[in-house]
């Protein structure tokens, strides 16, 4: 939609992305006929993404250009370039150690918490580089929420868990209403309606994870990042959360890291496959983006043989 | 297992093994040596424990026997009078102890928790000065209390602060003494909080301070409180540094915090215990009894608190 | 790239087995086609029993392979190439089974052969059509064994002379008015239609193989006249 790119990140004044993304219109600019991975990167990089056959283009939420992350001198991820679309679910898959979680945590500057982490390249959120010098990471994290692998509710009541975010960021409006709405949208309201004062630790694993999702939603982010949200849950809870993701897609953009390829296939619209590359002397290893495309294409007819090998389980 | 066994021999072996299992079971009772060994080990542990318990029991029994007759209301309300030993009381000492402890509390809670927060939440552990600070805090916990007394005399009563030999100076000195205990306990409590809680809070758009103030500290309160109570329990019993800092021998008036001489309970007990007269010994024993009860109650409270509010992560 | 570790070896073996089984089934069908040709040329009813038995085996193989494919789909969650492979196997075995049935239909004409042979040039035309159909089928089998994209494409899209020969045969047959014309016409048409269908199935096999190899959605459609 037009004109939505008015996100104010940063301490100073100034609107963000006043038209950098396709001039704020749908179908123009970077995404249409888009080259993912910046085309010119050549062999071994993400292939050219052909959007022509897709009905209805969406805004780009994130533009990553040659993003690299290292911990001190040790590289973790190199040269990732991709566009993440609004109101879609993007899955990051790949073997252990390929840097999917690292990449995910770049998107909301959670890597700042690790002193040795260095992020290079451009990471634009609605056109603004979130690693820019005048950008406040706290504001970044309000707009880009995160749900973690192991459900981590606070040792407080259910109400206080959901209310913490809005209180902390100073959201206006009726707190109770905000909490109830968030719980509703997370599909948890029916189960906790009468017992908001109960301690959150009394909930089951699946409920706790949905509570974490409600908590993240309560601050009204635009993006929700999920780092293997279902890996600690049983299949029924997993299915419920996957259904929830599909519902949330209408309002939020979701990026999910998952080990479970069937989950990526079921849930996501776009899938990015990262793979471990070794240095020539086999000392250093880092992750690279191999392929980024429609989920259906990746899982029925991927263009890179390495992708095919991974998803068929030939290489772990 | 050789492969040259004939099938028949193999089958026979299996059959006998099966028969044995049916009648004997796979598991048998423990061997004698193991039994004796394990009992012996338990006995040794029990011995060690009983030495400590018996020692403590002996001390408490002596205190009760000697001091119980003297425990009455006058003990708490009267001034120590060299003339009328029957009416002597610990009043100034108790008040002095209270003032000193209050001073200690005011000092150690913000400083201790603040230091622990700095070390755990803000300090970059790779920097040398932070590591140096950490090391020193650990060391300070083991420094003898008399050393703190000397330091107190040099820097607090005289020297830069020049407060004189007053209760405030005693508070500061004893506060420094028990501060490492608080810092260490607070650090443990803060460290026990898993980083997932902090990450969860930060990921919602809270600042670091909000995360600390609203999530970390509330969750660490029980651990911090336990540390504070243990520190206070220790502080109450400190005599050596206060002796140096003017907790003078004979105070027969109600002390004040910021001026004048003062005394504390352990010092008073010490004074009376060293007198030749047996009445003084009775008084001392009574004082000891009071102190023991106080310390016991405080420690028990600390343990109860810790158990009650312990967070299982 | 890290060295490919032999993961999912059991699954790999299953797929390998499936491939060989399809080859085997194809061979059986080819054998029955040979029997069909022999019966047609010689009129000797000898091979008929053998053909019937072989057809039973072919049907049984179809059933077991189909079941095996469904199991693999459920248990192994195949994706991409593996999924296309299994789905192709499902479709190709059904094509093979129909070719088997068609050859049986012709084999059952053994008794009519002396009469049909008497038609002279029409009989010759039939022989050509049948021979071409069998060749096309063999080409399909060869393409499968080699997993060869070129051969598959040729089968799927090629125009074959069989078309023309079939049209000529029908044309000539319509003009025939020798003795027992109706019986002759019915017999010849049965055989010719069977051969035509066999050729169609061979082309469909080529098309399925092409999709298996390229994975392109455009190749999903089987060859359509």
């Amino acid at each position: 939609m037009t004109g939505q790119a008015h996100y104010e990140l940063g301490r100073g004044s100034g609107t963000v992305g006043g038209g950098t993304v396709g001039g704020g219109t749908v179908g123009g600019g970077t995404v249409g006929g888009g080259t993912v991975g910046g085309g010119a990167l050549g062999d071994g990089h993400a292939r050219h993404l052909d959007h022509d056959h897709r009905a209805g283009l969406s805004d780009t939420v994130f533009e990553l250009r040659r993003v690299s992350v290292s911990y001190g001198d040790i590289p973790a991820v190199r040269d990732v370039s991709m566009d993440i679309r609004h109101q879609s679910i993007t899955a990051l898959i790949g073997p252990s150690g390929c840097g999917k979680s690292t990449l995910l945590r770049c998107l909301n500057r959670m890597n700042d918490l690790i002193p040795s982490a260095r992020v290079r390249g451009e990471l634009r959120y609605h056109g603004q580089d979130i690693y820019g010098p005048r950008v406040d990471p706290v504001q970044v994290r309000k707009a880009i929420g995160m749900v973690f692998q192991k459900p981590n509710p606070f040792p407080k009541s259910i109400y206080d868990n959901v209310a913490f975010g809005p209180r902390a960021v100073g959201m206006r409006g009726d707190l109770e209403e905000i909490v109830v709405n968030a719980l509703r949208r997370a599909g948890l309201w029916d189960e906790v309606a009468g017992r908001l004062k109960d301690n959150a630790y009394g909930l089951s694993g699946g409920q706790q994870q949905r509570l974490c999702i409600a908590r993240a939603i309560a601050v009204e982010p635009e993006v929700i990042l999920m780092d293997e949200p279902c890996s600690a849950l049983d299949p029924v809870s997993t299915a419920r959360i996957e259904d929830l993701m599909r519902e949330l897609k209408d309002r939020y953009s979701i990026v999910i890291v998952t080990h479970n390829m069937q989950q990526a296939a079921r849930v996501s619209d776009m899938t990015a496959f990262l793979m471990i590359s070794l240095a020539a002397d086999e000392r250093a290893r880092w992750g690279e983006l191999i392929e980024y495309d429609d989920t259906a294409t990746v899982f029925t007819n991927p263009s890179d043989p390495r992708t095919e090998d991974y998803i068929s389980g030939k290489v772990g | 297992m050789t492969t040259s066994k004939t099938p028949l021999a193999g089958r026979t072996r299996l059959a006998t093994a099966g028969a044995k299992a049916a009648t004997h079971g796979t598991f048998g009772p423990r061997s004698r040596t193991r039994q004796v060994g394990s009992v012996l080990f338990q006995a040794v542990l029990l011995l060690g424990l009983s030495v400590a318990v018996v020692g403590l029991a002996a001390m408490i029994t002596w205190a009760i026997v000697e001091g119980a007759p003297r425990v009455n209301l006058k003990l708490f309300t009267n001034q120590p009078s060299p003339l009328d030993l029957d009416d002597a009381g610990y009043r100034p000492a108790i008040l002095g102890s209270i003032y000193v402890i209050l001073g200690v509390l005011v000092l150690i809670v913000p400083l201790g928790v603040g230091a622990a927060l700095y070390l755990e939440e803000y300090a970059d552990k790779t920097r040398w000065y932070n590591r140096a600070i950490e090391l020193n805090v650990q060391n300070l916990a083991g420094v003898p209390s008399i050393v703190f007394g000397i330091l107190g005399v040099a820097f607090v009563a005289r020297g830069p602060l020049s407060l004189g030999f007053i209760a405030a100076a005693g508070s500061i000195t004893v506060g420094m003494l028990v501060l490492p205990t608080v810092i260490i306990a607070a650090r443990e409590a803060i460290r026990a909080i898993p980083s997932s809680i902090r990450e969860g809070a930060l990921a919602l758009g809270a600042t670091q301070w909000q995360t600390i103030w609203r999530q970390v500290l509330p969750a660490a309160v029980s651990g911090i409180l336990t540390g504070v109570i243990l520190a206070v329990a220790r502080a109450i019993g400190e005599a050596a540094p206060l002796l140096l800092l003017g907790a003078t021998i004979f105070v027969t008036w109600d002390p004040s915090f910021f001026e004048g001489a003062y005394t504390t309970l352990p010092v008073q007990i010490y004074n009376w215990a060293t007198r030749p007269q047996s009445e003084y010994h009775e008084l001392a024993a009574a004082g000891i009894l009071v102190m023991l009860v106080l310390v016991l109650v405080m420690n028990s409270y600390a343990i109860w608190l810790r158990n009650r509010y312990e967070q299982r992560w | 790239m890290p060295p490919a570790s032999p993961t999912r070896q059991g699954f790999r073996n299953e797929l390998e087995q499936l491939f060989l089984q399809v080859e085997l089934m194809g061979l059986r069908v080819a054998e029955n086609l040979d029997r069909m040709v022999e019966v047609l040329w010689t009129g000797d009813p000898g091979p008929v029993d053998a053909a019937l038995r072989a057809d039973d085996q072919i049907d049984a193989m179809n059933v077991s392979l189909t079941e095996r494919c469904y199991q693999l789909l459920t248990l192994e969650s195949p994706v991409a190439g593996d999924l296309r492979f299994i789905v192709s196997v499902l479709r190709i075995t059904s094509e093979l089974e129909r070719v088997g049935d068609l050859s049986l239909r012709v084999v059952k004409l053994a008794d009519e052969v002396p009469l049909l042979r008497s038609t002279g040039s029409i009989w010759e035309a039939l022989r050509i059509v049948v021979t071409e159909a069998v060749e096309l089928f063999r080409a399909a089998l060869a393409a499968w064994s080699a997993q060869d994209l070129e051969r598959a494409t040729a089968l799927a899209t090629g125009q074959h002379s069989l078309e023309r020969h079939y049209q000529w045969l029908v044309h000539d047959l319509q003009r025939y008015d020798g003795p027992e014309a109706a019986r002759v016409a019915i017999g010849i048409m049965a055989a010719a239609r069977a051969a035509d269908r066999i050729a169609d199935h061979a082309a469909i096999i080529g098309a399925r193989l092409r999709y298996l190899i390229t994975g392109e959605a455009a190749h999903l459609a089987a060859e359509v006249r």
Side-chain angles (χ1 to χ4, degrees):
Chain A
M1 296 302 289
T2 64
Q4 259 192 355
H6 263 298
Y7 292 84
E8 299 214 358
L9 294 179
R11 290 186 202 130
S13 59
T15 50
V16 165
T20 324
V21 178
T25 53
V26 172
T30 345
V31 172
T35 321
V36 172
L41 295 176
D43 208 31
H45 290 265
R47 77 160 201 184
H48 185 274
L49 181 56
D50 186 355
H51 280 282
D52 295 335
H53 62 283
R54 286 178 58 84
L57 293 162
S58 321
D59 275 347
T60 304
V61 174
F62 280 109
E63 286 166 44
L64 280 73
R65 297 287 176 264
R66 303 198 70 124
V67 171
S68 302
V69 185
S70 56
Y71 297 110
D73 290 331
I74 305 168
V77 171
R78 272 205 198 159
D79 280 349
V80 172
S81 300
M82 56 192 282
D83 288 356
I84 294 177
R85 287 210 227 109
H86 185 42
Q87 286 174 335
S88 69
I89 302 180
T90 306
L92 304 179
I93 63 172
S96 295
C98 69
K100 338 183 264 295
S101 289
T102 304
L103 188 62
L104 190 76
R105 290 165 65 101
C106 283
L107 298 177
N108 68 343
R109 289 192 65 162
M110 284 299 275
N111 277 334
D112 290 10
L113 300 180
I114 301 170
S116 61
R118 309 252 168 284
V119 177
R120 282 182 302 274
E122 271 182 28
L123 217 162
R124 293 186 174 276
Y125 171 72
H126 287 293
Q128 184 183 23
D129 188 352
I130 62 175
Y131 282 90
R134 284 169 62 232
V135 172
D136 180 11
V138 169
Q139 292 188 35
V140 171
R141 292 182 202 130
K142 177 194 174 298
I144 302 166
M146 191 171 224
V147 174
F148 297 86
Q149 180 172 348
K150 192 163 170 295
N152 59 350
F154 302 131
K156 296 178 186 263
S157 68
I158 295 172
Y159 184 88
D160 285 332
N161 260 276
V162 183
F164 173 77
R167 280 187 189 132
V169 304
M171 265 176 76
R172 296 210 188 82
D174 178 19
L175 193 57
E176 175 132 10
E177 211 181 298
I178 294 173
V179 169
V180 171
N181 273 338
L183 286 170
R184 263 194 229 279
R185 263 188 250 144
L188 193 57
W189 176 246
D190 293 334
E191 291 163 59
V192 300
R195 48 190 189 116
L196 290 181
K197 294 300 179 193
D198 284 3
N199 193 299
Y201 283 28
L203 297 173
S204 75
Q207 289 172 324
Q208 283 186 7
Q209 192 64 303
R210 276 179 284 147
L211 177 63
C212 293
I213 294 176
R215 194 173 70 179
I217 293 177
V219 296
E220 289 180 12
E222 192 198 347
V223 181
I224 304 177
L225 307 175
M226 300 195 181
D227 193 349
E228 300 191 42
C230 301
S231 60
L233 304 177
D234 62 277
V236 173
S237 305
T238 300
R240 291 185 78 165
I241 291 190
E242 285 178 13
D243 286 345
L244 181 58
M245 276 191 240
R246 287 189 205 99
E247 284 167 41
L248 292 176
K249 196 171 83 165
D250 292 336
R251 294 178 76 114
Y252 310 97
S253 310
I254 299 179
V255 183
I256 166 173
V257 164
T258 179
H259 263 138
N260 184 340
M261 274 182 295
Q262 277 71 41
Q263 180 173 77
R266 280 193 294 267
V267 151
S268 64
D269 302 309
M270 304 283 297
T271 298
F273 169 60
L274 286 94
M275 184 84 205
I276 298 175
S277 298
L278 288 175
D281 59 359
E282 302 223 350
R283 292 260 193 81
R285 38 195 325 169
W286 63 87
E288 280 186 0
L289 180 63
I290 304 296
E291 188 166 344
Y292 177 55
D293 206 341
D294 298 342
T295 297
T297 309
V298 169
F299 282 96
T300 54
N301 194 13
S303 40
D304 196 300
R306 290 170 287 183
T307 314
E308 169 118 24
D309 283 346
Y310 178 70
I311 62 178
S312 322
K314 285 199 192 104
V315 169
Chain B
M1 270 272 299
T2 64
T3 51
S4 59
K5 291 233 187 273
T6 64
L8 183 61
R11 272 187 270 134
T12 314
R13 243 180 333 100
L14 274 172
T16 45
K20 207 186 248 179
T23 51
H24 285 249
T26 323
F27 306 110
R30 210 183 266 190
S31 72
R32 275 329 268 290
T33 358
R34 280 196 196 233
Q35 268 181 324
V36 170
S38 129
V39 169
L40 210 59
F41 185 57
Q42 282 185 357
V44 166
L45 292 177
L46 218 56
L47 191 66
L49 182 62
S50 43
V51 164
V53 169
V54 162
L56 190 61
M59 197 169 58
I60 294 178
T61 320
W62 174 86
I64 292 177
V65 161
E66 281 284 320
R70 267 310 252 117
V71 174
N72 51 35
L73 196 59
K74 282 192 283 185
L75 204 66
F76 298 99
T77 54
N78 281 7
Q79 305 288 349
S81 156
L83 304 169
D84 187 355
L85 288 179
D86 274 337
D87 270 348
Y90 278 102
R91 182 179 157 121
I94 289 173
L95 281 175
S97 273
I98 291 177
Y99 286 149
V100 167
I101 292 305
L102 283 178
V104 164
L105 269 174
V106 163
L107 200 65
I108 62 175
V109 171
L111 281 186
V113 174
L117 277 178
Y118 170 75
L119 285 171
E120 284 301 315
E121 300 286 333
Y122 289 95
D124 181 357
K125 302 234 168 63
T126 57
R127 302 264 179 222
W128 68 269
Y129 45 82
N130 286 320
R131 286 209 289 250
I133 293 175
E134 251 182 80
L135 190 64
N136 277 317
V137 169
Q138 310 275 10
N139 283 337
L140 277 172
V143 168
S145 49
I146 194 74
V147 174
F148 278 95
I150 298 172
L151 279 166
V153 170
F155 293 105
V156 178
R158 299 196 184 125
L161 279 158
S162 278
L163 291 175
F165 290 88
I166 56 173
S171 278
I172 294 176
T173 309
V174 174
M176 292 293 115
L177 174 61
V178 296
L179 189 58
T181 309
V182 175
I183 295 178
I184 291 171
R187 280 190 78 190
E188 288 304 313
I190 291 170
R191 209 184 297 179
I193 296 165
S195 60
S196 59
I197 299 291
R198 292 187 188 81
E199 285 199 337
L202 289 168
L204 290 169
T207 61
Q208 187 160 18
W209 173 244
Q210 283 172 325
T211 304
I212 291 174
W213 186 245
R214 297 184 200 212
Q215 295 295 345
V216 174
L217 272 184
V221 152
S222 78
I224 294 174
L225 210 55
T226 309
V228 167
I229 292 173
L230 288 174
V232 165
R234 184 174 168 197
I236 289 182
E238 281 300 333
L242 291 176
L243 283 174
L244 286 182
L245 274 157
T248 41
I249 297 183
F250 207 59
V251 176
T252 52
W253 58 91
D254 289 347
S256 88
F257 193 65
F258 284 109
E259 53 186 19
Y262 67 104
T263 186
T264 60
L265 200 49
V267 172
Q268 188 70 295
I269 292 172
Y270 158 71
N271 286 323
W272 279 340
T274 53
R275 296 278 177 86
Q277 293 90 332
S278 66
E279 293 90 346
Y280 281 124
H281 293 175
E282 275 173 25
L283 274 171
I288 288 174
L289 192 58
V290 167
M291 276 210 64
L292 275 177
V293 167
L294 198 59
V295 168
L296 207 68
V297 164
M298 293 188 73
N299 277 329
S300 306
Y301 182 57
I303 293 170
W304 174 84
L305 248 186
R306 190 193 65 204
N307 287 343
R308 173 94 154 75
Y309 292 103
E310 193 175 8
Q311 190 74 45
R312 262 162 266 285
W313 298 103
Chain C
M1 283 285 292
S5 45
T7 44
R8 297 190 85 181
Q9 199 53 49
F11 182 47
R12 306 274 138 244
N13 292 343
E14 290 277 354
L15 293 179
E16 179 90 18
Q17 268 301 301
L18 217 50
F19 175 77
L20 296 171
Q21 290 287 313
V22 170
E23 267 190 327
L24 181 59
M25 189 175 168
L27 280 174
R28 293 254 167 88
V29 173
E31 278 169 12
N32 253 14
L33 284 179
D34 288 341
R35 290 190 189 101
M36 170 188 89
V37 166
E38 198 190 319
V39 164
L40 219 44
W41 284 193
T42 65
D44 169 23
V48 174
D49 283 334
L52 287 169
R53 270 191 309 246
D55 189 67
D56 285 341
Q57 280 185 340
I58 290 168
D59 288 343
M61 273 189 88
N62 182 32
V63 169
S64 79
L65 284 180
T66 304
E67 245 192 276
R68 193 67 200 125
C69 286
Y70 284 156
Q71 264 188 4
L72 287 175
L73 285 173
T74 316
L75 300 176
E76 300 281 353
S77 307
V79 286
D82 297 335
L83 179 63
R84 296 201 306 272
F85 177 74
I86 293 175
V87 170
S88 302
V89 165
L90 273 173
R91 301 180 120 167
I92 288 173
T93 51
S94 105
E95 303 295 321
L96 290 175
E97 196 247 347
R98 288 205 205 116
V99 172
D101 283 345
L102 288 167
S103 71
L104 260 198
R105 234 182 269 178
V106 177
V107 158
K108 287 184 186 154
L109 291 173
D111 296 333
E112 303 284 314
V113 167
L115 172 63
L116 302 179
R117 230 190 298 164
S118 66
T119 56
S121 67
I122 291 183
W123 180 248
E124 285 310 312
L126 180 64
R127 280 176 71 127
I128 292 172
V129 168
V130 168
T131 311
E132 280 184 351
V134 174
E135 264 173 35
L136 275 174
F137 182 77
R138 286 203 179 277
L141 286 188
W144 173 260
S145 296
Q147 296 275 301
D148 186 291
L149 179 59
E150 266 181 53
R151 293 192 221 190
T153 312
L155 277 164
T157 57
Q159 298 289 22
H160 298 291
S161 49
L162 187 139
E163 273 293 314
R164 274 179 291 128
H165 295 158
Y166 180 74
Q167 294 300 337
W168 290 341
L169 175 58
V170 171
H171 186 254
D172 286 350
L173 193 56
Q174 283 167 338
R175 301 255 165 66
Y176 181 76
D177 60 1
E180 305 244 31
R183 247 179 86 189
V184 162
I186 290 170
I188 298 278
M189 272 318 288
R193 272 251 181 82
D196 183 49
R197 288 228 181 94
I198 288 173
D200 276 348
H201 286 304
I204 292 174
I205 291 175
R208 302 275 182 238
L209 182 57
R210 183 169 63 152
Y211 173 67
L212 163 58
I213 297 172
T214 66
E216 278 170 51
H219 296 157
L220 268 172
E223 174 261 358
V224 168
R225 293 271 191 100

